[in-house]
Structure formats: C-alpha cells, structure tokens
Amino acid sequence: MAFFQWDDKYSVGVARFDQEHKKLIDLTNRFYDAMKEGKGRDVIGPTCRELVNYTKTHFANEELALAKTSYPNLAEHKREHNLFTNQALDLQKKVESGEPVVISSIGNFLKNWLINHIQGTDKTYSKYFS
Ligand code: FEO
C-alpha cells in the first residue's frame, strides 16, 4: 500500500486542483519510497527536487486562479504556501548535501502538511469556483 493515498474526502471540488494534489501525493510517495529503499543521493536528490518544484508550480497555479476570483483569504493562503515552500527548500538542501535525515519524520511532515492544508485552507476556496 502506498505511504500516502488519495481519498475522495480530500477533493476541493475543482477538478484541475484535485489532479494537481494527486500529483503532489504521487511525488511525495516517490520521494518517500526512494528514502525508504535506501537509494543513493543521486536518486533521492532528484525526487526531492521534483517534489519541491512541482509544489511551487502548484502553489503558483492556485494563487493565479484565486486572484481572478473574489476569494478573500489570498494573502493568508499565500503566506502558508511560502512558509511550506521555505521548509521544503530547507529539506531539499539537507537531502542534496547528504545530511542524515529521519525518513519517517520527513514523510509524516509532508503528508500531514498536505492533508491539513488541502482539507483546511484549500477547501475554503471551493465555493469561489462554482
Ligand atoms: Fe493546494 Fe493551497 O495548495
């Protein structure tokens, strides 16, 4: 069973963003699996970079789309995105420099952050796209 599985309860009711969230889950699993399987830095590094880059792409896509609606919480939403992006970039630096990391802590951090953000903050924009 995958470390992090999509559940329909995570749906934000916007097909495009559900797809992007599914891709984030998939990339999180690939990164987690690479660490768990003890792959080298040459494999773990790029999977981490891909996850971080796609996270930035997704955040930018959401922010652009939200700016075109009357969504009132964009500034706070962006703040959450920026905070996580910085944490993810720190993680990427550690991974790429070969610093030892605690796999379960990283996996759970990414998974819990995404679940909480999608179910808490992202869902507050659903009605602005209907
Ligand atoms: Fe789907 Fe606000 O990130």
Side-chain angles (χ1 to χ4, degrees):
M1 193 206 265
F3 168 67
F4 187 0
Q5 285 192 299
W6 169 262
D7 189 301
D8 285 342
K9 72 179 180 212
Y10 301 151
S11 174
V12 293
V14 183
R16 174 185 170 195
F17 293 136
D18 281 347
Q19 285 310 315
E20 292 190 6
H21 290 149
K22 285 177 186 172
K23 183 162 177 179
L24 281 173
I25 289 173
D26 181 51
L27 290 170
T28 302
N29 281 329
R30 281 203 257 159
F31 174 50
Y32 178 81
D33 288 346
M35 290 191 294
K36 196 86 185 161
E37 289 162 13
K39 303 277 191 209
R41 220 193 307 174
D42 57 325
V43 175
I44 295 173
T47 59
C48 182
R49 182 174 288 265
E50 198 181 352
L51 172 60
V52 173
N53 286 343
Y54 190 73
T55 299
K56 289 197 274 187
T57 299
H58 167 64
F59 287 168
N61 289 343
E62 251 182 23
E63 289 168 16
L64 197 65
L66 286 169
K68 293 176 185 160
T69 71
S70 55
Y71 180 66
N73 303 323
L74 185 54
E76 175 56 23
H77 201 137
K78 275 187 183 175
R79 204 187 63 78
E80 279 188 36
H81 284 171
N82 290 340
L83 205 63
F84 182 70
T85 300
N86 288 336
Q87 289 174 302
L89 284 168
D90 281 347
L91 171 64
Q92 184 182 322
K93 263 187 229 153
K94 273 190 193 164
V95 166
E96 288 184 338
S97 68
E99 239 181 81
V101 292
V102 181
I103 299 167
S104 56
S105 302
I106 292 178
N108 287 327
F109 164 70
L110 295 170
K111 181 176 170 177
N112 291 334
W113 192 92
L114 284 168
I115 289 173
N116 288 334
H117 182 77
I118 291 168
Q119 290 203 286
T121 306
D122 282 354
K123 279 196 177 180
T124 63
Y125 64 54
S126 303
K127 64 181 179 210
Y128 297 92
F129 288 99
S130 57

